[in-house]
Amino acid sequence: MTFCALATPITHDEEHHDDVMTAVEKGLIKPYSALQHKVSQQLSARIIKVELNEDNGEWIYELKLIDNQNNIIKVEYQAQSLQMLNIKGRHLENVIRAPK
């Protein structure tokens, strides 16, 4: 009897997913739902793209948003604290909400 096992190689996406799950379990990353809540409190725009990147142990959410005037806004959040690190775009005065 002969057995042939085909191993499915782990893609970069699968490896990244495992890294993300481990980071969430360790508390290094806030979940996406918490990020959505934070964005809705701070910005008057809709999330259209999210990337999560790790660099030297620091996880960063990189977002692309669109406001009601179809302006594109790029925002970075530190994934553990959800502190806004950077924001770029046109007419930001119409997007940034006043703190409550």
Side-chain angles (χ1 to χ4, degrees):
M1 201 184 296
T2 305
F3 291 97
C4 180
L6 297 175
T8 305
I10 296 176
T11 65
H12 177 69
D13 290 340
E14 290 171 341
E15 289 176 5
H16 186 69
H17 177 75
D18 291 343
D19 291 344
V20 169
M21 294 306 294
T22 300
V24 169
E25 290 170 4
K26 291 181 177 179
L28 301 175
I29 299 173
K30 296 278 190 212
Y32 178 69
S33 59
L35 175 66
Q36 284 180 304
H37 180 72
K38 182 67 127 181
V39 170
S40 69
Q41 288 179 326
Q42 293 182 333
L43 305 171
S44 181
R46 185 171 43 98
I47 298 171
I48 56 173
K49 183 177 178 183
V50 176
E51 290 183 21
L52 179 61
N53 296 305
E54 188 266 343
D55 186 27
N56 292 325
E58 183 175 19
W59 290 88
I60 306 293
Y61 278 115
E62 297 176 3
L63 288 76
K64 190 180 284 186
L65 298 93
I66 190 166
D67 69 7
N68 57 6
Q69 302 297 316
N70 291 326
N71 294 306
I72 300 296
I73 295 94
K74 294 181 180 182
V75 186
E76 292 181 355
Y77 283 90
Q78 200 282 338
Q80 186 174 26
S81 66
L82 296 183
Q83 176 184 357
M84 187 186 298
L85 301 173
N86 191 15
I87 185 167
K88 293 188 246 183
R90 292 186 184 188
H91 305 292
L92 293 176
E93 67 278 3
N94 298 328
V95 174
I96 299 173
R97 295 177 189 235
K100 294 180 181 180

